[in-house]
Amino acid sequence: MQSEYMFQLLKQMKDGDQQAFHAMYDATYQDVYRTVSFLVDHPQDREDVMNEIYMQMWTSLANYDTNRPFHFWLHGLVIRQVQRFRVKRWRRFRIFERIRAFAREESHWDQPSVLMDGTNQMISQAIHKLTDKQRTVIILRFFHDYTLEEIATLLDIPLGTVKSRCHAGIQALRKNIWNLPPERMEKINDY
């Protein structure tokens, strides 16, 4: 039912229907924002990335193969836009590093209801401590249930690299979450 609805929206969007685009935006925004929130630290940067994702969706819709799952294609757009953002950010950093010391701002949880829906704050904070590469693999694997092979395809990297990042990410999460008091472990295991 849901996928048929999405398929109809996609067909209408391909015909240039802006109302269908708004309906698609409403149907996918929370899932996309949640993923972007785990991959991009600063709230203003998240909004920029979100705008780029939906702009890219609109412009590249003609390239979408309707035989492939829509969410897989959408998550591919998300990952590519986050990677582009990181490249831009790195270039910006290199330009300004001579002028001033770069101080990373703390993550701001501006929309906790979106971020914490179905997650535990302790796990979210531990995920934000991972490297960007580990965090991307962990989010795709455990929040979107992609197989390791699908993640390798999405990120365009070898399967062994995905396994390595996933293993290292899980080890880092265990290390960060291990010191929790026992009463907190039950909540985390509910996730």
Side-chain angles (χ1 to χ4, degrees):
M1 178 72 177
Q2 181 71 12
S3 63
E4 187 174 319
Y5 173 69
M6 299 295 258
F7 183 73
Q8 291 301 321
L9 288 177
L10 287 170
K11 283 179 58 177
Q12 293 170 348
M13 286 172 56
K14 280 188 172 184
D15 294 337
D17 185 347
Q18 291 185 359
Q19 292 300 323
F21 178 77
H22 289 293
M24 178 66 74
Y25 178 85
D26 291 340
T28 58
Y29 175 80
Q30 282 200 343
D31 179 52
V32 171
Y33 188 80
R34 186 171 138 175
T35 302
V36 169
S37 296
F38 277 111
L39 301 176
V40 177
D41 292 335
H42 197 277
Q44 181 62 41
D45 293 336
R46 291 179 200 151
E47 294 302 323
D48 292 343
V49 171
M50 291 293 291
N51 290 336
E52 292 295 323
I53 289 168
Y54 283 99
M55 181 70 86
Q56 185 67 37
M57 175 194 283
W58 182 258
T59 58
S60 64
L61 194 58
N63 300 330
Y64 172 62
D65 179 5
T66 55
N67 295 322
R68 298 184 67 193
F70 171 72
H71 281 90
F72 188 80
W73 180 73
L74 178 60
H75 288 141
L77 286 178
V78 171
I79 296 303
R80 282 189 295 278
Q81 290 304 320
V82 168
Q83 289 172 337
R84 284 185 188 138
F85 163 75
R86 288 177 180 160
V87 169
K88 286 180 187 176
R89 183 179 63 182
W90 175 243
R91 288 180 183 153
R92 235 182 345 202
F93 170 74
R94 291 185 61 175
I95 290 171
F96 290 111
E97 72 180 345
R98 291 183 182 158
I99 300 170
R100 63 183 176 169
F102 178 78
R104 187 175 180 176
E105 296 182 12
E106 296 253 338
S107 296
H108 298 285
W109 301 90
D110 59 336
Q111 295 188 10
S113 63
V114 173
L115 292 175
M116 298 304 149
D117 186 21
T119 62
N120 181 294
Q121 186 172 4
M122 186 69 73
I123 292 174
S124 297
Q125 290 172 348
I127 288 172
H128 275 278
K129 291 178 182 175
L130 298 175
T131 66
D132 290 340
K133 293 177 179 179
Q134 291 172 346
R135 190 180 332 150
T136 301
V137 170
I138 293 295
I139 295 299
L140 291 174
R141 178 74 179 110
F142 296 106
F143 282 83
H144 297 295
D145 293 327
Y146 286 119
T147 65
L148 296 176
E149 291 82 9
E150 289 172 329
I151 294 170
T153 302
L154 268 173
L155 299 178
D156 196 24
I157 57 176
L159 178 60
T161 303
V162 172
K163 289 179 180 177
S164 174
R165 289 178 186 174
C166 188
H167 178 75
I170 290 171
Q171 292 301 317
L173 287 173
R174 284 186 180 147
K175 183 179 177 184
N176 288 330
I177 299 175
W178 186 256
N179 295 328
L180 290 176
E183 63 272 6
R184 297 294 311 261
M185 292 304 288
E186 185 175 298
K187 286 185 175 179
I188 289 172
N189 290 335
D190 286 345
Y191 167 71

